[in-house]
Amino acid sequence: ASFFLFVYRYLNNIGYVNHLGPQIAALSSSFNNGSELYHDLESFKRHSLLYGPYLYIFNSILMYLLFPSIFTSKILGVFCGLLNIFISYLISRSITKSNYIAVIITTLLLSLCCFSPIQFIWNNSDPILMICINASLLALIMEKNEITKNLMICLFSGIAINLKIHSVLLFMPFYFLAFRSQNIISIVKYFSITIFIIA
């Protein structure tokens, strides 16, 4: 209840929690108007945000479909945060094989979120990055089809790396578990998909 109350208050607040929020919202909105996301070092429009373009593109799509505002610039982060809760429940249920235990684990995770809830829902890259990691873990646990599982991991790792370049390190365990039994040609094919998504 505390977490959902925080989400409600965050959405209805007319401001952001730090200086990154308005910069990300402004860049996402201006991208819809044809502005470039990245500028030369000599340009007066340059900024110091070190995020990949997917963060701004995803936000700009929502702001285009709805309307550009402070409220709509927060929707993607909040949606990803709530979706992460549901995916965490699915992961817990897959591991424990019990709905009851999965609900308890998910509730405990929500309790931990309440110590610093903003990182789970703000309009930064973190909520989307967590979706990529959780969805890859869910694919690794649940997906029986080897091709589908590998494609999902390649897809989400490509998106994650395009959000933050160091995400390639976060996905090393997924790569190892998913591709340890694959031959080198198969691995190159799958990694080419990840590279294509990044590019």
Side-chain angles (χ1 to χ4, degrees), residues 70-105:
I70 294 173
F71 176 79
T72 55
S73 70
K74 296 177 180 181
I75 289 176
L76 179 64
V78 169
F79 173 76
C80 288
L82 297 176
L83 188 58
N84 268 314
I85 295 167
F86 180 67
I87 295 175
S88 298
Y89 164 77
L90 293 177
I91 291 170
S92 303
R93 192 180 66 178
S94 298
I95 294 171
T96 62
K97 311 297 182 190
S98 167
N99 282 323
Y100 179 71
I101 297 173
V103 168
I104 292 173
I105 291 171

Side-chain angles (χ1 to χ4, degrees), residues 84 87-88 91 125-141 152-153 155-161 163-164 166-174:
N84 268 314
I87 295 175
S88 298
I91 291 170
S125 60
D126 296 335
I128 310 170
L129 185 57
M130 281 189 279
I131 283 283
C132 294
I133 293 169
N134 278 340
S136 297
L137 180 58
L138 187 63
L140 204 60
I141 293 170
M152 286 183 69
I153 290 171
L155 168 69
F156 288 116
S157 65
I159 293 171
I161 295 166
L163 292 167
K164 288 184 176 180
H166 71 268
S167 297
V168 66
L169 301 175
L170 302 175
F171 276 83
M172 286 298 181
F174 294 106

Side-chain angles (χ1 to χ4, degrees), residues 43-197:
S43 172
F44 73 94
K45 291 183 177 181
R46 72 178 188 209
H47 58 83
S48 58
L49 298 179
L50 300 176
Y51 301 115
Y54 278 3
L55 171 63
Y56 311 111
I57 292 169
F58 292 156
N59 271 301
S60 69
I61 291 170
L62 263 176
M63 294 174 83
Y64 175 78
L65 292 174
L66 301 171
F67 52 90
S69 69
I70 294 173
F71 176 79
T72 55
S73 70
K74 296 177 180 181
I75 289 176
L76 179 64
V78 169
F79 173 76
C80 288
L82 297 176
L83 188 58
N84 268 314
I85 295 167
F86 180 67
I87 295 175
S88 298
Y89 164 77
L90 293 177
I91 291 170
S92 303
R93 192 180 66 178
S94 298
I95 294 171
T96 62
K97 311 297 182 190
S98 167
N99 282 323
Y100 179 71
I101 297 173
V103 168
I104 292 173
I105 291 171
T106 307
T107 306
L108 289 172
L109 286 172
L110 270 174
S111 300
L112 291 173
C113 291
C114 288
F115 284 105
S116 185
I118 192 60
Q119 281 83 6
F120 296 91
I121 58 169
W122 63 1
N123 67 328
N124 207 317
S125 60
D126 296 335
I128 310 170
L129 185 57
M130 281 189 279
I131 283 283
C132 294
I133 293 169
N134 278 340
S136 297
L137 180 58
L138 187 63
L140 204 60
I141 293 170
M142 290 186 69
E143 188 56 59
K144 304 299 180 186
N145 188 305
E146 196 77 16
I147 295 173
T148 306
K149 175 177 69 179
N150 294 343
L151 284 174
M152 286 183 69
I153 290 171
C154 290
L155 168 69
F156 288 116
S157 65
I159 293 171
I161 295 166
N162 206 296
L163 292 167
K164 288 184 176 180
I165 193 70
H166 71 268
S167 297
V168 66
L169 301 175
L170 302 175
F171 276 83
M172 286 298 181
F174 294 106
Y175 293 149
F176 175 74
L177 292 170
F179 302 119
R180 58 184 171 180
S181 60
Q182 304 279 331
N183 58 50
I184 189 67
I185 296 172
S186 180
I187 291 172
V188 170
K189 285 180 181 177
Y190 283 117
F191 278 172
S192 66
I193 296 168
T194 300
I195 293 167
F196 175 76
I197 293 168

